[in-house]
Amino acid sequence: MGDIDQLTTGDLLLIVDVQKDFCPGGALPIAGGDQVVPIVNAWTARAQANGVPVYLSRDWHPQCHLSYQENGGMWPVHCVQDSAGAAFHPDLLVPEEAVIVTKGTRFDQDQNSAFDQTGLAFWLHKAGVRRIFTAGLAQDVCVLATVMDGVKEGFEMVLIEPATRAVSLENGARALQQMRQAGVHILSEH
Ligand code: VGL
Ligand code: ZN
């Protein structure tokens, strides 16, 4: 394992769901969601400077989706494909060469993890990625699911904790605990 806060060959930066709907003023606002943006941007710049690939996932639901309250799910309507709210935060640095991972497109189930039925693990293994730095929204939902799947897929997972925010603080604390127990490295400084 390389230095834990040094991006190098074999690393990947995976930014989870930093979309308008998850920020204050959005359809499913997370407190302080927009505050992750400058931290994430600094990591993106660092990744670019070190030749480390940057991937960004986005929640991208059909207009009618099982996770919506109107369909018996637990969330308000959010991240509808091609809607303004589904766009990345306007200040988020999205390099031209960044790879977008679209998830949540199934009508019949949620895909909280960026690995869930996307083929992402296959691709990253093929590309020689061994360690994945993650950040984004929400710490207790899609970041958690993505990080735990990353562990299962055999990647060394690093969470940039200051660049995440939880829907629920209580669940956020639980999520951190769960990740720690799974062997995830939690960076508490940026
Ligand atoms: C998310 C709630 C519903 C997330 C997605 O990206 O964390 N949260 N859909
Ligand atoms: Zn969603």
Side-chain angles (χ1 to χ4, degrees):
M1 179 181 86
D3 263 348
I4 204 59
D5 52 3
Q6 212 69 36
L7 291 169
T8 185
T9 308
D11 287 345
L12 177 90
L13 179 61
L14 175 58
I15 300 158
V16 177
D17 302 3
V18 183
Q19 293 164 272
K20 282 206 277 195
D21 270 346
F22 295 128
C23 293
L28 203 170
I30 296 163
D34 53 339
Q35 292 167 11
V36 308
V37 172
I39 309 172
V40 167
N41 286 350
W43 278 87
T44 297
R46 222 173 292 159
Q48 287 188 287
N50 290 283
V52 165
V54 178
Y55 282 43
L56 301 99
S57 72
R58 60 179 181 180
D59 209 36
W60 199 250
H61 298 312
Q63 260 183 61
C64 32
H65 191 250
L66 194 77
S67 80
Y68 296 159
Q69 278 150 0
E70 58 195 32
N71 300 317
M74 65 182 294
W75 306 115
V77 173
H78 66 280
C79 294
V80 174
Q81 293 166 10
D82 294 309
S83 67
F88 289 124
H89 187 286
D91 298 332
L92 187 71
L93 183 57
V94 182
E96 208 162 301
E97 63 274 21
V99 174
I100 311 298
V101 183
T102 298
K103 65 179 182 60
T105 58
R106 284 191 65 132
F107 288 86
D108 61 336
Q109 56 178 247
D110 229 334
Q111 293 155 277
N112 286 335
S113 162
F115 291 103
D116 189 1
Q117 303 169 78
T118 59
L120 180 62
F122 163 85
W123 182 254
L124 296 183
H125 282 306
K126 188 175 164 65
V129 171
R130 291 181 301 274
R131 185 170 66 164
I132 304 177
F133 287 71
T134 50
L137 306 170
Q139 186 188 68
D140 52 342
V141 186
C142 288
V143 172
L144 172 66
T146 299
V147 167
M148 296 305 284
D149 268 359
V151 171
K152 272 185 221 142
E153 296 288 355
F155 297 103
E156 189 184 330
M157 299 302 293
V158 182
L159 180 75
I160 307 164
E161 197 272 334
T164 65
R165 288 293 185 283
V167 175
S168 134
L169 290 180
E170 198 186 320
N171 289 341
R174 210 172 294 148
L176 288 179
Q177 190 60 22
Q178 202 181 324
M179 288 187 261
R180 214 171 266 123
Q181 273 165 11
V184 176
H185 303 272
I186 316 273
L187 291 184
S188 48
E189 282 175 59
H190 52 87

